[in-house]
Amino acid sequence: MLRGDVSTRRVRRSTVAVVGAAVLAAAALGGWWGLSASAGVELGSVSSTGAGFTDECTYPDEGLWALFAADQDVAVVQTVRNDARWPITVTSLLPDVFRFGAVAADPRDDYGFRDPADGPPPEADTTAEVEIPPGREVAMWVVGPWGPMDADMRYGAAVSSRTGIEHAPLRVRSLGIARESNLQLGHMLWISDLDLGSDQFRAEVAELCGD
C-alpha cells in the first residue's frame, strides 16, 4: 500500500506539472499574441496630392481629400508610421492602388518623396510590401484609376459619376503574427467619370462644396 501511495503521488505530481506547463505556455502565447496585436501601422505626419481638386470650398468638407477628373493623373502620398518598438512588415492587399516607397537610409529623410504633381512614380520605384523599422515613416502612394470593385464597402463608396476610396486594405506582420487591417485614410479620395473641362465636372465640384 505504501508503494502504491508513492506511485500515485508521483503520477499526480507529473499531471500537475504537465497541466502547469500547458497553462504557462497558453499564457505566454496569449501574451505574445496580444503584444503583436498592439502594433500596427498608423497615418504618418505628411500627406500631399497631385493635380486633383483639393478641398478649397468656402466651407470645407473635412471628409474630402481630393477629387480627380477622369483625364487627370491620380497620385496621392500619405506617409504611414510604425509606432511599435520592433519592426513590422506591411503588405498592400490592393497593390494596384496602394504601394509603398522605400525606407530612407536616414530617418531625417522619412518625409521626402517625389512631388505627386509630377504624376505617380514608376512602379519599379515602389513595392507592395515594406518592413518599417520602429518609430519610422514611409511613403504610401495612392494611385489610380480605381473603380467600384476597388471601392467596395470596406474601402470606399461609389456615388453617381464618381468613385471614392478611404481605406487602405493591408496585412500587418508583427512579431511573426500576420493579420489583416483596414487603415482609414481620414479623408475621401474621389475619381470622377467626367473630364476636367466639362460643365458637368464643375457642377460636381460645386456639389461637393455644397454650393
Side-chain angles (χ1 to χ4, degrees):
M1 290 295 293
L2 183 58
R3 289 181 179 177
D5 290 344
V6 171
S7 177
T8 300
R9 284 197 296 271
R10 287 176 178 171
V11 170
R12 287 175 179 172
R13 287 174 182 171
S14 177
T15 301
V16 169
V18 170
V19 171
V23 170
L24 288 175
L29 181 60
W32 187 264
W33 183 273
L35 190 61
S36 169
S38 70
V41 65
E42 304 290 341
L43 291 182
S45 56
V46 180
S47 64
S48 181
T49 62
F53 164 83
T54 53
D55 198 351
E56 298 170 354
C57 308
T58 304
Y59 302 101
D61 179 354
E62 293 299 328
L64 170 64
W65 190 355
L67 167 67
F68 292 86
D71 53 349
Q72 288 182 301
D73 287 333
V74 178
V76 178
V77 178
Q78 168 68 64
T79 61
V80 291
R81 183 179 67 251
N82 172 18
D83 282 336
R85 298 189 302 274
W86 52 86
I88 61 173
T89 300
V90 185
T91 305
S92 171
L93 299 182
L94 202 59
D96 291 340
V97 178
F98 300 98
R99 297 184 65 81
F100 301 102
V103 177
D106 189 327
R108 292 173 295 183
D109 295 329
D110 282 357
Y111 317 105
F113 43 77
R114 169 194 176 109
D115 187 347
D118 295 331
E123 186 172 333
D125 293 345
T126 61
T127 179
E129 181 176 285
V130 64
E131 182 180 282
I132 309 176
R136 298 288 301 276
E137 297 189 18
V138 298
M140 181 178 72
W141 284 88
V142 189
V143 298
W146 59 79
M149 290 298 292
D150 301 319
D152 64 18
M153 293 304 293
R154 289 177 295 168
Y155 312 139
V159 177
S160 62
S161 61
R162 62 184 182 271
T163 302
I165 199 162
E166 64 178 348
H167 291 87
L170 307 172
R171 180 180 296 113
V172 178
R173 180 175 293 277
S174 167
L175 299 177
I177 299 174
R179 67 186 186 283
E180 294 188 5
S181 173
N182 281 331
L183 175 66
Q184 185 165 351
L185 300 178
H187 303 280
M188 182 74 84
L189 286 165
W190 293 103
I191 290 183
S192 176
D193 296 335
L194 305 168
D195 288 341
L196 181 64
S198 67
D199 293 338
Q200 295 92 333
F201 182 77
R202 289 193 291 270
E204 190 168 46
V205 170
E207 178 187 345
L208 284 173
C209 280
D211 295 343

